[in-house]
Amino acid sequence: MAKLISSVKEDKAGIPMNPQERTLSRPVMAFIIQRHDLDGLQLAMKQALRKATCRVFALQVMHVVDFYLLVSFVLTFS
């Protein structure tokens, strides 16, 4: 069935695209040929990792403090 359907792809204006244009219009190829700021991406990833690490440690500390407060509250009224 797929072979019966025409493989001519058209751009937004309705003009048929040649094979090179079709290849470059694919999302993966479009991503590959774009110019990326790798240094900026690396910095952003490091900062995101630092933030996530701080949040994990903060939640662990909150858990310990909450447990300590709960135990001290229970021992106070028992």
Side-chain angles (χ1 to χ4, degrees):
M1 182 70 173
K3 291 184 179 183
L4 297 175
I5 299 172
S6 175
S7 65
V8 176
K9 197 170 188 180
E10 298 176 346
D11 63 1
K12 292 179 182 177
I15 301 170
M17 298 170 61
N18 63 28
Q20 292 171 342
E21 289 174 336
R22 276 189 291 175
T23 302
L24 294 177
S25 69
R26 294 181 178 153
V28 173
M29 291 301 293
F31 178 81
I32 290 171
I33 63 173
Q34 288 177 354
R35 184 177 177 98
H36 297 283
D37 179 18
L38 297 180
D39 293 331
L41 287 172
Q42 184 179 18
L43 178 64
M45 289 175 63
K46 283 183 181 179
Q47 289 176 344
L49 183 61
R50 288 179 182 143
K51 287 180 184 179
T53 305
C54 289
R55 288 181 180 137
V56 167
F57 285 134
L59 287 173
Q60 288 175 349
V61 168
M62 284 177 41
H63 179 68
V64 170
V65 169
D66 287 344
F67 181 74
Y68 173 76
L69 290 175
L70 180 64
V71 167
S72 64
F73 180 77
V74 169
L75 291 177
T76 304
F77 292 105
S78 60

